[in-house]
């Protein structure tokens, strides 16, 4: 308890210093905002999280090729010559789910090396697929290689790794279950133990992957604030790359998680389906279309600012390309909700039409055509 109080009392500058990490971020999953960071865009050695990147790539390729997690592939583990007489024989085949879970849990070298062949690909083809998948996750000019080596290093930033971790969580929920497991039983080989040492320390840690590494420690960790409290469940992803010591990585991320939960709050600005604006529409029998948020919209701010500013903590704006012309279908994108804090845009969310907007009569369309040609009421 004393240590926890001491950590909470430390200023942020102290937590983000001595020793200085190469690249660190903590991201709120619901708002998508980066809460705490240091050198977030600095490219560093990311070989410690290469297993997580490989699993993400494999799941992306499998979805594209309609492959099943239950497809059987050759087991990458050789028979254990030291096993006892009555021990089960090693499995000659395992399903893809078991292979990928072993990679995500502890970066099993045998399982990691077997991924391309399990997907019917060469290492070069898998490397190309990896960079294509990372590009779709929002990473500009990804340069990962498979496998990572001195001649083909894997370098990226904590911000980019956080994008992969967030996409893994959102697109492939099964990975969260894999990453939260402590043991994986595979016939004929010793149980696979997780490398995520945070799982043993806190019930709030629920994945995704951590690799202490050899020499340089890297981690991508998912945490939820403890259930059974009045506070709404919050989910954070912390990434740290290239820390010089696994022990300091453990202490720093624990401290930063505590700081993020204590000093920041994520608020639901709009529930899904809320009308955020009424936008003028032309050449329709309707004069306006309700612009709604299709998904809940969240924003994160410091608790200090939330208490002092209240409803003024955020500035909400709507951006759209005028003029909006009928017909529009329900769900068509009509604009964007922008949330600002201190003049800085922190969250964006799409706005869609709440209902169909049909074409108007010939006369109304003709009048609107003249109005648009003359520039009247067309710009907003």
């Amino acid at each position: 308890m004393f240590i926890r109080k001491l950590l909470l009392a430390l200023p942020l500058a102290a937590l983000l210093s001595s020793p200085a990490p190469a690249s660190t971020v903590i991201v709120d999953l619901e708002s998508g905002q980066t809460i705490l960071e240091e050198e977030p865009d600095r490219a560093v050695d990311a070989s410690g999280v290469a297993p997580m990147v490989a699993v993400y790539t494999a799941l992306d390729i499998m979805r594209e090729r309609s492959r099943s997690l239950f497809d059987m592939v050759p087991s990458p583990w050789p028979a254990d010559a030291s096993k006892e007489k009555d021990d089960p024989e090693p499995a000659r085949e395992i399903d893809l789910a078991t292979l990928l879970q072993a990679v995500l849990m502890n970066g099993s070298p045998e399982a990691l090396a077997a991924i391309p062949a399990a997907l019917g690909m060469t290492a070069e083809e898998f490397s190309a697929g990896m960079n294509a998948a990372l590009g779709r996750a929002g990473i500009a000019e990804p340069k990962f290689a498979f496998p990572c080596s001195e001649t083909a290093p894997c370098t990226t930033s904590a911000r980019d790794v956080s994008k992969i971790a967030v996409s893994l969580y959102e697109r492939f929920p099964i990975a969260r279950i894999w990453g939260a497991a402590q043991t994986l039983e595979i016939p004929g080989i010793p149980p696979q133990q997780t490398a995520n040492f945070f799982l043993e320390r806190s019930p709030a840690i629920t994945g995704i992957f951590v690799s202490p590494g050899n020499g340089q420690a890297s981690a991508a960790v998912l945490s939820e604030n403890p259930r059974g409290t009045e506070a709404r469940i919050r989910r954070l992803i912390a990434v740290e790359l290239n820390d010089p010591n696994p022990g300091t990585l453990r202490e720093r991320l624990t401290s930063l998680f505590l700081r993020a939960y204590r000093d920041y709050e994520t608020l639901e600005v709009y529930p899904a389906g809320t009308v955020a604006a009424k936008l003028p529409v032309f050449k329709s029998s309707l004069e306006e279309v309700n612009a709604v948020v299709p998904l809940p919209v969240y924003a994160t701010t410091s608790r200090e600012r939330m208490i002092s500013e209240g409803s003024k903590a955020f500035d909400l704006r709507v951006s759209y390309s005028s003029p909006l012309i009928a017909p529009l279908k329900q769900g068509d994108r009509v604009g964007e909700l922008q949330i600002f804090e201190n003049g800085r845009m922190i969250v964006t969310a799409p706005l869609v039409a709440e209902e169909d907007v049909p074409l108007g009569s010939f006369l109304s369309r003709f009048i609107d055509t003249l109005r648009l040609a003359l520039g009247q009421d067309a710009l907003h």
Side-chain angles (χ1 to χ4, degrees), residues 77-84 87-90 188-190:
W77 293 282
D80 184 359
S82 64
K83 72 183 186 69
E84 299 294 332
D87 286 349
E89 289 296 321
I189 68 170

Side-chain angles (χ1 to χ4, degrees), residues 82-310:
S82 64
K83 72 183 186 69
E84 299 294 332
K85 179 179 178 180
D86 295 331
D87 286 349
E89 289 296 321
R92 296 184 179 182
E93 288 190 327
I94 58 173
D95 55 43
L96 276 168
T98 299
L99 182 75
L100 297 181
Q101 182 173 358
V103 175
L104 193 65
M105 283 177 58
N106 62 15
S108 166
E110 299 90 350
L112 179 63
I115 288 179
L119 300 178
M121 306 172 73
T122 65
E124 292 76 15
E125 290 170 337
F126 188 74
S127 291
M130 178 178 290
N131 289 309
L134 300 186
R136 289 190 289 272
I139 297 174
E141 300 182 4
K143 295 179 181 179
F144 257 80
F146 185 89
C148 301
S149 65
E150 291 184 2
T151 56
C154 296
T155 58
T156 190
S157 67
R159 193 186 306 281
D160 281 349
V161 172
S162 73
K163 292 177 183 178
I164 303 167
V166 169
S167 190
L168 181 67
Y169 173 86
E170 293 177 342
R171 295 184 61 206
F172 307 109
I174 186 66
R176 183 179 169 199
I177 298 174
W178 294 344
Q182 296 211 26
T183 304
L184 174 63
E185 299 285 347
I186 302 175
I189 68 170
Q192 297 290 298
Q193 302 292 335
T194 183
N196 188 344
F197 47 73
F198 286 98
L199 288 174
E200 301 173 1
R201 295 191 52 157
S202 170
I205 303 298
T206 55
I208 291 180
F209 176 81
V210 62
S211 175
N214 296 318
Q216 300 294 334
S218 298
V221 185
L222 170 66
S223 175
E224 294 183 351
N225 61 325
R227 298 178 184 274
T229 64
E230 295 182 359
R232 182 176 56 80
I233 297 298
R234 290 179 59 203
R235 297 177 176 88
L236 306 175
I237 283 181
V239 173
E240 178 161 332
L241 302 180
N242 221 18
D243 192 289
N245 186 296
T248 61
L249 178 145
R250 183 193 314 233
E251 294 171 2
R252 282 173 42 79
L253 289 189
T254 300
S255 302
L256 292 174
F257 272 132
L258 290 172
R259 187 63 181 267
Y261 284 127
R262 188 192 71 167
D263 292 348
Y264 292 84
E265 183 62 52
T266 296
L267 308 174
E268 187 178 49
V269 180
Y270 283 133
T274 301
V275 178
K278 294 180 179 291
L279 304 179
V281 64
F282 293 82
K283 299 188 179 183
S284 172
S285 56
L286 304 176
E287 293 184 355
E288 296 178 322
V289 57
N290 286 339
V292 303
V293 290
L295 298 171
V297 178
Y298 297 94
T300 303
T301 189
S302 67
R303 295 198 180 201
E304 180 182 2
R305 180 173 175 81
M306 184 177 64
I307 293 172
S308 63
E309 301 289 336

Side-chain angles (χ1 to χ4, degrees), residues 326-342:
L328 296 171
K329 293 290 186 182
Q330 182 184 36
D332 283 352
R333 183 162 180 161
V334 294
E336 181 180 76
L337 176 68
Q338 300 174 342
I339 302 178
F340 290 78
E341 183 182 41
N342 284 333

